[in-house]
């Protein structure tokens, strides 16, 4: 048979990747001309294939369908509130995504309204999704599964099939409450957001576990949950102040910041007359006078870990078990002195 009639030798992307010591994604991008990749790398891939006298085998899924975008789903109130946790998580995700040639899209979700996420999925805008918060009966989960979209959750879920990255919120809350109790405080009020968020459930659990650990019976009147608005925050604060607590423990930095300003407006000095602490630390809590004792988590590292888990999942690696990251309790002036009655 004449040479020109000989069938062209096929070489797989996997073979090229192994020979050059690069990822299959890098080879795919070099051949498709899409994605962030240097011309030197493109040249190496093409030269190797040419020298082998072959052409790349056609992939089952064309590279053209890859968007090289990831989507981060965030609550719609991010637009109106200063939420340092989400900003820092976003920074960690962006950095990790860029290192592997991906860009980050944002998607706002409000309660059961998932229309923006549905639109991005229908238009094939992304290759994977990161849920920035976990809630009970999250409509996003079913939507993503229906579209067979790879996704990872930041936060605990009760579904072991969902890849997830979180801090041990219950242990952190228990440690903070235990330290406050060891300072001699016994009447510690707890203010948290909606219990539909798993993070608020876990923080409440840690609070009650610490009380039980020291044999202290909780006062239900000192626990206020479901605080999602200014009016609810004021009502909750009024209710617990009537019970004359030694300390107010807030579920997050935003709530602690607002409670601190409200106490100042009422001329209730911290820590002279009452102590104040938060179960999440940020510049909102550290920048007040007095600075607020809080639990510190590395939100940048958390976001980066979630992004890397998603990219590994998209690359076909087996989903890792839930990844739990550490924390540190930081005691500041808001819990320094004993309150005077």
């Amino acid at each position: 048979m004449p040479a020109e009639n000989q069938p062209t030798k096929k070489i797989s992307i996997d073979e090229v990747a192994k020979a050059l010591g690069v990822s299959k994604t890098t080879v795919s991008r070099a051949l498709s001309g899409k994605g962030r990749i240097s011309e030197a790398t493109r040249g190496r891939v093409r030269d190797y294939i040419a020298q082998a006298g072959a052409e790349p085998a056609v992939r089952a899924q064309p590279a053209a369908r890859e968007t090289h975008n990831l989507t981060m789903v965030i609550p719609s109130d991010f637009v109106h509130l200063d939420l340092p946790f989400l900003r820092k998580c976003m920074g960690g995700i962006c950095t990790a995504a860029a290192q592997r040639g991906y860009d980050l899209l944002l998607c706002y979700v409000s309660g059961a309204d998932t229309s923006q996420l549905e639109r991005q999925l229908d238009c094939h805008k992304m290759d994977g999704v990161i849920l920035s918060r976990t809630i009970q009966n999250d409509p996003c989960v079913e939507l993503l599964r229906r579209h067979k979209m790879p996704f990872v959750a930041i936060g605990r879920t009760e579904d072991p099939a969902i890849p997830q990255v979180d801090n041990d919120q219950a242990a952190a809350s228990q440690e903070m409450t235990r330290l406050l109790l060891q300072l001699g405080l016994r009447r510690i009020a707890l203010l948290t957001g909606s219990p539909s968020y798993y993070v608020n459930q876990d923080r409440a659990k840690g609070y009650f576990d610490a009380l039980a650990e020291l044999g202290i019976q909780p006062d239900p009147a000192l626990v206020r949950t479901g605080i999602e608005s200014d009016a609810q925050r004021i009502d909750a604060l009024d209710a617990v102040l009537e019970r004359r607590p030694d300390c107010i423990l807030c579920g997050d930095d935003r709530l602690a910041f607002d409670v601190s300003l409200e106490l100042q407006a009422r001329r209730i000095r911290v820590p002279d007359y009452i102590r104040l602490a938060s179960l999440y630390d940020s510049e909102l809590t550290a920048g007040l006078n007095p600075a607020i004792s809080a639990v510190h988590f590395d939100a940048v590292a958390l976001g980066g870990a979630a992004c890397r888990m998603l990219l590994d999942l998209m690359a076909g690696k087996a989903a890792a078990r839930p990844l739990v990251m550490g924390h540190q309790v930081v005691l500041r002036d808001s819990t320094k002195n004993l309150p005077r009655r």
Side-chain angles (χ1 to χ4, degrees):
M1 181 182 295
E4 59 268 23
N5 293 328
Q6 293 284 351
T8 305
K9 177 184 174 184
K10 299 289 185 180
I11 187 170
S12 71
I13 288 177
D14 186 50
E15 289 178 75
V16 178
K18 287 179 180 178
L20 297 180
V22 298
S23 69
K24 290 188 287 185
T25 300
T26 297
V27 176
S28 174
R29 291 176 184 169
L31 296 172
S32 68
K34 297 182 179 180
R36 295 179 180 176
I37 186 172
S38 70
E39 285 303 320
T41 301
R42 290 186 205 277
R44 284 182 64 209
V45 170
R46 291 167 181 162
D47 289 347
Y48 179 84
I49 293 173
Q51 289 170 9
E55 65 180 32
V58 178
R59 298 195 327 164
Q61 184 133 16
R65 290 190 61 83
E66 295 181 359
T67 67
H68 307 298
N69 292 328
L70 304 178
T71 285
M72 179 182 182
V73 176
I74 60 179
S76 58
D77 57 8
F78 178 80
V79 178
H80 309 291
L81 297 176
D82 183 13
L83 300 174
F85 172 78
L86 288 179
R87 283 193 286 104
K88 291 175 181 177
C89 269
M90 190 184 304
I93 293 169
C94 284
T95 299
Q99 287 171 348
R100 299 202 197 177
Y102 283 82
D103 295 315
L104 184 66
L105 306 178
L106 297 184
C107 177
Y108 297 112
V109 170
S110 178
D113 182 6
T114 61
S115 56
Q116 189 174 17
L117 179 58
E118 291 177 38
R119 187 165 60 252
Q120 288 192 11
L121 288 166
D122 289 340
C123 295
H124 307 289
K125 293 285 188 179
M126 70 297 231
D127 302 323
V129 172
I130 297 173
L131 300 176
S132 66
R133 289 184 175 180
T134 53
I135 61 175
Q136 289 181 316
N137 304 314
D138 188 351
C140 294
V141 170
E142 180 56 33
L143 182 61
L144 292 167
R145 282 175 166 163
R146 192 164 66 244
H147 281 78
K148 295 181 170 40
M149 177 62 62
F151 70 98
V152 166
I154 294 178
R156 180 182 69 83
T157 80
E158 293 178 343
D159 186 344
I162 297 177
Q164 52 200 274
V165 179
D166 195 16
N167 300 110
D168 193 338
Q169 300 289 347
S173 175
Q174 184 174 1
E175 183 179 345
M176 170 61 88
T177 307
R178 184 190 302 120
L179 288 173
L180 295 174
L181 292 169
Q182 289 172 351
L183 290 173
L185 308 174
R186 289 298 178 266
R187 298 188 56 74
I188 302 173
L190 176 68
L191 307 183
T192 70
S194 170
S196 65
Y197 287 95
Y198 286 110
V199 62
N200 291 327
Q201 293 181 21
D202 291 348
R203 287 169 175 170
K205 180 182 184 301
Y207 166 85
F208 287 115
D209 286 348
L211 294 180
E213 187 180 17
L214 295 185
I216 298 173
Q217 188 68 26
D219 180 355
L222 287 176
V223 178
R224 308 287 291 192
T225 64
I227 302 171
E228 297 293 319
S229 68
D230 291 341
Q232 290 172 334
R233 185 189 72 250
I234 296 299
D235 288 345
L237 185 58
D238 286 340
V240 298
L241 287 176
E242 288 180 2
R243 306 293 294 179
R244 297 180 64 80
D246 300 314
C247 176
I248 298 176
L249 179 59
C250 297
D252 59 63
D253 54 333
R254 183 77 236 182
L255 186 53
F257 179 84
D258 291 336
V259 166
S260 176
L261 295 185
E262 183 64 26
L263 291 174
Q264 289 180 28
R266 299 184 187 202
R267 299 184 184 280
I268 301 174
R269 294 198 298 272
V270 177
D272 295 25
Y273 296 120
I274 195 169
R275 294 185 182 188
L276 182 62
S278 170
L279 292 174
Y280 181 70
D281 188 28
S282 76
E283 53 266 34
L284 290 178
T285 50
L288 287 168
N289 185 19
I292 299 175
S293 296
V295 180
H296 180 76
F297 303 106
D298 191 337
V300 175
L302 192 69
C307 184
R308 287 188 291 274
M309 181 180 285
L310 175 61
L311 292 170
D312 286 346
L313 186 67
M314 290 162 49
K317 296 183 181 179
R321 293 189 302 173
L323 175 62
V324 179
M325 305 182 72
H327 67 271
Q328 179 183 9
V329 174
V330 182
L331 295 180
R332 300 191 178 103
D333 288 347
S334 68
T335 58
K336 185 176 180 180
N337 300 316
L338 287 173
R340 297 196 297 270
R341 298 296 189 190

